[in-house]
């Protein structure tokens, strides 16, 4: 049987979910034997999201144009998309900028009002991705197959979600151990 | 005391007249999810989580305000009720700004618990991200309206147990919020005795003690029931 | 009481100035929209209820073929969203979300999944709200979904289906 093609993606999040992924410690070795890591900020150095991915863990909310582009691209090329952690599921902490009312007030606050030296708005078309008006949870922009809340989800929760998938089964996302937020 | 017999989820029960379905279920060890209910204060039937199905009844009924009656047949966990409860919790999460990760009540939050209980792993609704304020004018406590689910427990506990009536409800619908005094900052409300009962009554991290940080708030909900029993039955120890 | 909608609209009211009748909304904002094909429904409590509307205030709004039924539903939901007192959760937040979903549909941004959620939410608001306002607030949506569903589906986002059978 061909190995499962696994990807992990890091959108607007703090990378804590990926750190938690690494906390799976020695089970990572077992995982590495069963899957081929085809795209991941902590497991490969590819810049292009590949075709025919079986499972993708997506950390982070959708905050800028690059996030949105990658989300659409990965949905197109992946069988099972997992919202990985609270930022992907709820927009969480990155989403707190939404209360300020849009991209412009956020940028002004961060780069002009709080800019100590040479305050200016970042502007580098094609290099710095533009902020979206609101940070959105992943399932607001693409259909998501599995939701794994947690800030971050514990290593145990990540493992309990991945193990059934490796056997070709669906994980059961119920109970405190699997779906508690925060 | 006269006895009433009824069935809850096919379990035969005997209870007292005047009890609510919620109380009868609790006595029998059957858990019905609630958010606005709090032992010791008046029920308002507002959160709609405790809705149950009554055999032969046309409507769903809130268990917290429906009294038991002879021969009642109650279902508390049908598939429909579970689906409806989940959707109501989804609505609550999309209404306010509930960021568990940075909340004082993380790990000790009734909203968070009820989400797990009804199996809510995400909300299907668009988050509103409302612009709500935080009042830190009180020397000991704070209220963060972002985390408020408008259960009005604070309003009732302050009015009924403390007798101060510092809190009330202002505005309506989506604009509704909990207001202190005559729409004054909490710290300027003379009626507040700083007893902290609203802190204990709050199911989320909305009302908290200053100085508590992430996951440090533990509401002492039993204290309120204790106070009521103490006054009514003169039992001063717990 | 008991005469048909057709008699009221076409004979007594003289019909619509140009074009044809498309639907009649009865009973005020919590009532439902009755399609032209059912104009022979007698105006009484039971008959109106059977077709998904109500006597309510007794008011009637007659709409011609130019009217978008989704816009009508949104209009009434905007009213209910403003009227809800906010005491119970399903009515307070449900009307807000129903309005948001209707707006999303009208903006051409909604998917089949949104439509399903909206329909489910209508039932939750109807069956779990504390008072009559919430119990009837989704009626304009439910009745237009019942008789004019294609107007909703026509507005859904065309979803490109990718190789793995999923759209986005």
């Amino acid at each position: 049987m061909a190995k499962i093609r696994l990807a992990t993606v890091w959108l607007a999040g703090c990378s804590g979910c990926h750190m938690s992924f690494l906390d799976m410690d020695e089970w990572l070795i077992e995982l590495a034997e069963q899957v081929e890591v085809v795209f991941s900020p902590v497991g490969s150095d590819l810049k292009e999201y590949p075709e025919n991915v079986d499972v993708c863990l997506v950390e982070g909310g959708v905050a800028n144009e690059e996030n949105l582009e990658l989300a659409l691209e990965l949905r197109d090329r992946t069988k099972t998309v997992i919202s990985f952690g609270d930022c992907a599921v709820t927009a969480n902490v990155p989403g707190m900028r939404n209360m300020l009312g849009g991209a412009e007030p956020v940028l002004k606050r961060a780069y002009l009002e709080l800019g100590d030296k040479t305050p200016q708005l970042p502007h580098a078309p094609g290099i710095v991705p533009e902020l979206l008006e609101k940070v959105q949870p992943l399932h607001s922009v693409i259909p998501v197959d599995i939701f794994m809340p947690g800030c971050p989800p514990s290593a145990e929760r990540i493992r309990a979600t991945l193990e059934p998938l490796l056997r070709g089964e669906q994980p059961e996302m119920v109970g405190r151990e699997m779906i508690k937020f925060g | 005391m006269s006895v009433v017999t009824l069935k809850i989820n096919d379990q035969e029960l005997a209870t007292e007249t005047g009890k609510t379905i919620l109380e009868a279920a609790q006595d029998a060890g059957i858990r019905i999810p609630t958010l606005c209910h709090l032992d010791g204060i008046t029920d308002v039937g507002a959160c709609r989580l405790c809705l149950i199905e009554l055999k032969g009844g046309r409507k769903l009924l809130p268990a917290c305000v429906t009294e038991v009656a002879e021969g009642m047949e109650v279902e508390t966990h049908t598939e429909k009720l579970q689906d409806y409860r989940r959707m109501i919790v989804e609505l609550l999460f999309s209404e306010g700004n509930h960021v568990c990760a940075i909340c004082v009540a993380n790990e000790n939050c009734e909203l968070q618990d009820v989400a797990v209980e009804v199996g809510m792993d995400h909300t299907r609704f668009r988050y509103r991200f409302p612009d709500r304020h935080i009042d830190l004018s009180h020397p000991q406590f704070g209220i963060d309206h972002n985390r408020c689910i408008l259960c009005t427990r604070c309003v009732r506990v302050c009015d009924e147990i403390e007798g101060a009536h510092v809190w009330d409800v202002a505005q309506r619908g989506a604009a509704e919020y909990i207001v202190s005094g005559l729409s004054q900052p909490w710290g300027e409300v003379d009626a507040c005795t700083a007893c902290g009962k609203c802190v204990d009554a709050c199911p989320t991290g909305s009302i908290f003690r200053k100085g508590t940080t992430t996951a440090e708030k533990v509401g002492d909900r039993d204290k309120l029931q204790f106070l009521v029993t103490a006054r009514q039955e003169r039992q001063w120890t717990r | 009481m008991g005469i048909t909608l057709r008699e009221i609209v076409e004979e007594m009211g003289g019909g619509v100035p140009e074009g044809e009748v498309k639907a009649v909304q009865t009973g005020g904002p919590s009532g439902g929209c009755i399609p032209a094909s059912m104009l022979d429904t007698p105006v009484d409590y039971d008959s109106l209820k059977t077709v998904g509307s109500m006597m309510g205030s007794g008011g009637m709004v007659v709409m011609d073929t130019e009217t978008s039924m989704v816009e009508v539903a949104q209009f009434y939901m905007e009213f209910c969203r403003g009227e809800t007192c906010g005491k119970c959760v399903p009515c307070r937040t449900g009307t807000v979300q129903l309005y948001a979903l209707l707006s999303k549909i009208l903006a051409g941004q909604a998917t089949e999944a949104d439509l399903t959620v909206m329909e489910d939410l209508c039932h939750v608001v109807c069956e779990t709200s504390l008072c009559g306002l919430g119990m009837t607030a989704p009626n304009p949506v439910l009745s237009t979904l019942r008789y004019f569903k294609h107007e909703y589906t026509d507005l859904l986002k065309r979803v490109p289906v990718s190789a793995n059978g999923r759209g986005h």
Side-chain angles (χ1 to χ4, degrees), chain C:
Chain C
M1 189 71 74
I3 63 169
T4 65
L5 280 169
R6 190 182 303 283
E7 284 172 276
I8 297 174
V9 174
E10 291 185 350
E11 287 175 29
M12 297 160 76
V16 292
E18 283 168 40
E20 287 169 40
V21 176
K22 181 173 185 179
V24 182
Q25 209 276 353
T26 74
S30 313
C33 291
I34 302 165
S37 62
M38 296 179 124
L39 276 181
D40 292 318
T41 308
V43 178
D44 60 58
Y45 288 94
D46 293 333
S47 308
L48 289 180
K49 207 170 170 187
T50 317
V51 298
S53 188
M54 55 153 78
M55 188 65 102
S57 62
M60 278 180 201
V61 179
V62 181
M63 290 162 276
D64 68 10
T65 41
E66 297 292 297
T67 317
S68 153
M69 299 316 280
V70 187
E71 275 178 27
V72 169
Q74 187 206 33
F75 171 81
Y76 285 114
M77 195 49 67
E78 186 175 13
F79 176 81
C80 291
R81 183 186 67 161
E83 286 300 305
T84 176
C85 81
K87 179 174 174 178
C88 76
V89 181
C91 181
R92 182 181 75 227
T93 68
T95 50
V96 169
Q97 290 294 346
L98 282 172
Y99 179 80
L101 282 161
L102 289 163
S103 307
K104 193 175 176 186
I105 292 170
L106 282 165
Q109 294 297 313
T111 61
E112 189 72 41
D114 290 312
L115 196 57
T116 312
V117 169
M118 188 178 76
E119 216 168 334
D120 290 349
L121 178 57
C122 283
H123 294 298
V124 168
V125 176
C126 279
E127 288 191 56
T128 68
S129 289
L130 195 148
C131 82
L133 193 127
M135 288 173 194
T136 55
N139 278 350
V141 187
L142 283 170
S143 64
T144 47
L145 270 173
R146 181 167 160 190
Y147 299 118
F148 304 95
K149 187 148 189 180
H150 62 94
E151 292 197 25
Y152 286 88
T153 47
D154 286 352
L155 285 165
L156 294 183
K157 196 158 70 169
R158 294 280 159 266
V159 178
V161 177
S162 60
N164 56 32
R166 290 182 178 282
H168 52 68

Side-chain angles (χ1 to χ4, degrees), chain A residues 27-122:
Chain A
W27 193 72
L28 287 171
I29 299 167
E30 221 171 289
L31 179 69
E33 283 163 4
Q34 298 182 60
V35 303
E36 187 184 345
V37 180
V38 291
F39 186 88
S40 170
V42 296
S44 83
D45 198 26
L46 291 174
K47 303 293 178 228
E48 268 294 303
Y49 193 87
E51 298 280 348
N52 299 318
V53 177
D54 293 307
V55 178
C56 181
L57 290 164
V58 186
E59 170 186 343
V62 181
N64 63 31
E65 282 173 358
E66 189 205 14
N67 295 159
L68 180 62
E69 204 176 296
L70 183 51
L72 295 172
E73 202 168 72
L74 74 90
R75 176 68 276 180
D76 225 24
R77 302 175 182 178
T78 315
K79 281 202 196 86
T80 304
V81 173
I82 304 176
S83 271
F84 178 31
D86 279 355
C87 293
V89 180
T90 75
N92 202 27
V93 175
M96 290 176 78
R97 81 154 156 93
N98 295 347
M99 281 79 107
L100 289 175
E104 202 184 303
V106 174
L107 288 169
K108 279 190 176 155
R109 176 76 184 141
Y111 289 94
L112 301 183
E113 288 169 34
L114 300 174
D116 298 333
K117 289 176 187 164
T118 61
Q120 59 173 342
L121 291 174

Side-chain angles (χ1 to χ4, degrees), chain B residues 44-48 51 58-60 80 83-84 87-92 94-95 124-128 148-151 169 171-174 176, chain C residues 49 81-90 92-94 96-97 100-101 104 109 114 117-118 120-125 127-131 135:
Chain B
V44 288
C47 74
R48 315 308 281 170
L51 287 177
R58 211 163 44 87
K59 285 179 181 167
L60 306 177
K80 178 163 106 174
D83 285 350
Y84 283 12
M87 195 169 257
I88 290 170
V89 177
E90 286 178 44
L91 286 170
L92 280 173
S94 55
E95 181 186 36
R124 287 165 284 178
F125 302 110
R126 192 187 296 193
Y127 284 94
R128 289 179 54 236
C148 179
I149 56 168
L150 298 161
C151 67
V169 178
Q171 294 284 359
R172 61 198 243 183
E176 184 179 335
Chain C
K49 207 170 170 187
R81 183 186 67 161
E83 286 300 305
T84 176
C85 81
K87 179 174 174 178
C88 76
V89 181
R92 182 181 75 227
T93 68
V96 169
Q97 290 294 346
L101 282 161
K104 193 175 176 186
Q109 294 297 313
D114 290 312
V117 169
M118 188 178 76
D120 290 349
L121 178 57
C122 283
H123 294 298
V124 168
V125 176
E127 288 191 56
T128 68
S129 289
L130 195 148
C131 82
M135 288 173 194

Side-chain angles (χ1 to χ4, degrees), chain A residues 86 89-93 95-96 98-99 134-137 139 147 149 151 173 175-176 179-182, chain B residues 93 97 99-102 106-107 112-113 115-116 119-124 126-131 146:
Chain A
D86 279 355
V89 180
T90 75
N92 202 27
V93 175
M96 290 176 78
N98 295 347
M99 281 79 107
K134 296 255 159 133
V135 183
Q136 294 290 344
H139 66 274
F147 296 86
C151 187
M173 306 306 285
R176 203 168 180 86
I179 59 167
K180 189 190 81 70
F181 290 94
Chain B
F93 269 87
N97 296 310
V99 189
C100 297
I102 53 139
N106 190 10
E107 307 289 341
Q112 194 179 45
D113 291 346
V116 172
M120 194 209 90
D121 57 6
H122 74 289
T123 171
R124 287 165 284 178
R126 192 187 296 193
Y127 284 94
R128 289 179 54 236
F129 299 114
D131 182 18
N146 291 289

